[in-house]
Amino acid sequence: MEFIKGKGQIKAEIVVNGSKKFEEYGFNGKDGEVLVLPDKKRIYVGIDEINSENLKTATAKIIKALKNYKFESVEITPPNTKDKDLLLSFFEGFILGDYEFDKYKSEKAKHPIQKVAINSKRDFEDVIKEAKIRANAICFVRDIINSMPDEITPAKLAAIAEEVAKENKLDCKIYDEEWLRENGYGAFYAVGKASANPPRLIHLTYKPKNPKKKIVLVGKGLTYDSGGLSLKPSDYMVTMKSDKSGAVTVLGIIKAISELGLDIEVHAILGAAENMIGGNAYKPDDVLKAKNGKTIEVRNTDAEGRLVLADCLCYAQENIKDFDKIMDFATLTGACVVGLGEYTAGVMGFNKNTIQKAIETGEKRGEHFAYLPFNKYLPKLLKSNVADICNIASSRYGGALTAGLFLSNFIEEENKDKWTHFDIAGPAFVEKEWGYNPYGASGFGVDTIVSLLQSL
């Protein structure tokens, strides 16, 4: 999609809170309403107020609505503001709305709108360039998450990471299952050992000349999760291709940051594995030893993401020194979706300032995050009688919190204040369209974390 200055074949307008109505067509300019008048070459989209989420959704809806027509260009006037977040969202929405995942379909999606004509004397070149990088990174993430598990194996995800590294001049290290076993990453190794597609630990590094900060991003990359011997019911197994969302999100973030040329050093650690069944699968009652020496009693093999993340967090702290922040991203718990719904991610940690800034940045980028606070009563729920810690809680309640607290046991004391955990299980993959997001993978988190790191 190309952004140009000038005229388009059809004019689009965003109507704020009923400021323009066409009652004869049933359009009252309210939030979510769309009116296309092809004969008059006009399209109108209603929003209730001007904010990033609404602007992204409005421009996405313009593109989606025009897919049913033969117009090749659309003309629009950007909002009269200097607010960078609003302008980024305005331009991103066109690209995000044009996205369709049709890799496995015989009949491919139509993309009639090739040009967005900007009716304004202002210069938007820089903001358009950044919006394209962000939106393309989000679509890149969507594509990988949506791809089937037989295609995106741990080795394939590693190959994709290598391609990203080559294109963006990043350092890339990939470690196989034997390396994990020989070097004491017992929790990570156990999760992937029953699969015909062995695990990979992937470490990408973006290092500009004079970085002002050093950031570590860790992502859960279960390219498929059957539940292991604690097998998921068939209905719950469908969509588990999305259990790699945390790792792919991290890959999208470092891709965008390197293309934007930000002056921060970023390390992306991806823990890629399949949790499968087999004669050599890890079992309930096993006791695993993580890299930091802690032993873990396995009471449920479907609580596997935290085992992979535990060792990835250990790897990061052992191999990357003097970092300023470490953040992990995972579709970790169904409990988080039950508590917050499908459209909001949970944020946990010990640094309330970082958590609050993440939530506020999310609002500016049109993504929703909510703080889930730990308390002194939770640790005893992870107590094990045979090991240092149990991989599931003894209570069925507060599962998102106890999963986050489990991870905190693999954060060294001096790094507790630097660590933030994002449970993106809800918004990473939703089986319906919502806002500016399509059915399936959303690419949630990329936009917010890029802005968060940009602001450091």
Side-chain angles (χ1 to χ4, degrees):
M1 183 176 292
E2 184 182 0
F3 292 89
I4 62 170
K5 284 203 167 190
K7 302 292 183 180
Q9 294 175 343
I10 183 170
K11 285 189 176 182
E13 184 178 340
I14 297 172
V15 178
V16 183
N17 199 27
S19 58
K20 183 173 285 189
K21 300 180 181 180
F22 296 91
E23 292 180 354
E24 66 273 28
Y25 298 110
F27 180 82
N28 294 303
K30 297 300 182 182
D31 192 55
E33 292 184 346
V34 180
L35 173 65
V36 183
L37 301 173
D39 294 339
K40 296 183 179 181
K41 296 181 179 179
R42 294 288 189 275
I43 178 172
Y44 302 92
V45 177
I47 60 175
D48 56 2
E49 63 176 331
I50 294 177
N51 60 41
S52 281
E53 184 175 18
N54 284 348
L55 286 175
K56 272 188 195 176
T57 301
T59 51
K61 282 190 172 184
I62 288 168
I63 294 300
K64 288 177 182 178
L66 292 179
K67 287 185 178 183
N68 298 318
Y69 301 89
K70 294 183 179 180
F71 298 108
E72 295 179 356
S73 62
V74 59
E75 178 185 333
I76 193 167
T77 301
N80 184 22
T81 179
K82 292 182 179 179
D83 187 309
K84 182 184 174 183
D85 281 304
L86 295 179
L87 292 172
L88 279 172
S89 295
F90 173 83
F91 290 110
E92 282 178 42
F94 290 105
I95 299 170
L96 299 178
D98 196 40
Y99 177 88
E100 284 191 55
F101 185 73
D102 58 6
K103 183 189 288 189
Y104 307 123
K105 290 191 174 184
S106 301
E107 186 175 336
K108 300 303 180 184
K110 295 177 181 178
H111 303 276
I113 297 296
Q114 298 297 310
K115 295 179 181 180
V116 177
I118 306 304
N119 185 358
S120 174
K121 293 180 180 179
R122 295 170 62 190
D123 181 10
F124 295 103
E125 185 177 347
D126 288 343
V127 74
I128 288 173
K129 181 180 178 181
E130 182 171 342
K132 280 184 172 181
I133 289 172
R134 287 169 175 261
N136 288 335
I138 292 167
C139 292
F140 166 81
V141 169
R142 289 174 174 179
D143 273 344
I144 300 172
I145 296 171
N146 282 328
S147 295
M148 64 178 178
D150 198 43
E151 178 184 350
I152 307 296
T153 62
K156 178 60 175 178
L157 186 55
I160 293 170
E162 284 184 307
E163 290 172 15
V164 171
K166 186 177 180 180
E167 290 169 3
N168 296 282
K169 298 178 180 178
L170 310 177
D171 180 58
C172 182
K173 297 175 182 176
I174 297 170
Y175 303 99
D176 64 13
E177 70 278 17
E178 288 306 312
W179 185 91
L180 291 172
R181 183 179 61 81
E182 291 170 2
N183 286 275
Y185 295 89
F188 188 167
Y189 174 78
V191 171
K193 72 178 184 177
S195 175
N197 297 301
R200 295 289 184 269
L201 191 155
I202 305 158
H203 180 180
L204 293 168
T205 306
Y206 165 68
K207 192 172 183 179
K209 283 186 178 180
N210 298 299
K212 61 182 182 181
K213 297 284 183 181
K214 186 186 290 188
I215 307 298
V216 181
L217 308 174
V218 179
K220 170 190 170 184
L222 268 292
T223 57
Y224 198 71
D225 179 19
S226 70
L229 291 179
S230 304
L231 195 66
K232 292 178 183 290
S234 57
D235 287 351
Y236 287 81
M237 215 180 292
V238 176
T239 75
M240 279 300 103
K241 64 181 182 180
S242 68
D243 216 19
K244 58 183 176 286
S245 296
V248 181
T249 298
V250 164
L251 185 58
I253 293 167
I254 198 170
K255 180 180 190 293
I257 284 172
S258 61
E259 291 172 2
L260 290 170
L262 301 189
D263 56 350
I264 52 174
E265 181 178 331
V266 179
H267 294 261
I269 315 297
L270 287 64
E274 283 187 345
N275 185 22
M276 303 296 284
I277 58 173
N280 64 333
Y282 83 117
K283 310 164 186 68
D285 286 338
D286 275 349
V287 175
L288 311 177
K289 192 173 186 179
K291 179 60 178 175
N292 68 348
K294 287 201 173 184
T295 56
I296 306 163
E297 178 190 359
V298 177
R299 295 185 70 87
N300 189 321
T301 64
D302 197 23
E304 84 300 324
R306 65 199 69 183
L307 301 177
V308 172
L309 281 175
D311 267 343
C312 286
L313 290 167
C314 291
Y315 169 88
Q317 292 167 98
E318 184 173 279
N319 292 277
I320 307 162
K321 300 302 179 185
D322 303 318
F323 54 81
D324 295 285
K325 292 189 184 298
I326 181 167
M327 305 174 183
D328 74 71
F329 302 83
T331 48
L332 203 60
T333 65
C336 196
V337 190
V338 172
L340 298 177
E342 294 175 292
Y343 314 117
T344 304
V347 193
M348 286 155 262
F350 302 103
N351 189 323
K352 291 184 179 180
N353 290 332
T354 300
I355 291 168
Q356 186 58 36
K357 191 165 186 180
I359 293 169
E360 291 172 357
T361 304
E363 287 301 313
K364 290 178 181 177
R365 298 306 317 125
E367 296 184 320
H368 300 283
F369 297 83
Y371 173 41
L372 299 179
F374 298 140
N375 63 62
K376 67 180 182 180
Y377 305 105
L378 294 172
K380 65 181 180 181
L381 300 178
L382 293 169
K383 183 181 177 182
S384 167
N385 291 317
V386 299
D388 296 328
I389 192 170
C390 188
N391 81 322
I392 59 167
S394 57
S395 169
R396 62 181 293 189
Y397 303 110
L401 284 164
T402 51
L405 195 64
F406 175 90
L407 295 178
S408 75
N409 283 268
F410 301 89
I411 300 294
E412 296 169 11
E413 198 60 40
E414 63 266 29
N415 296 326
K416 295 281 190 186
D417 208 42
K418 300 177 182 179
W419 169 70
T420 311
H421 164 58
F422 295 86
D423 191 333
I424 59 172
F429 192 96
V430 179
E431 290 189 277
K432 54 180 173 283
E433 290 188 9
W434 55 290
Y436 52 86
N437 296 293
Y439 170 99
S442 65
F444 180 93
V446 173
D447 218 2
T448 294
I449 302 304
V450 168
S451 288
L452 182 63
L453 299 189
Q454 211 173 33
S455 69
L456 295 177

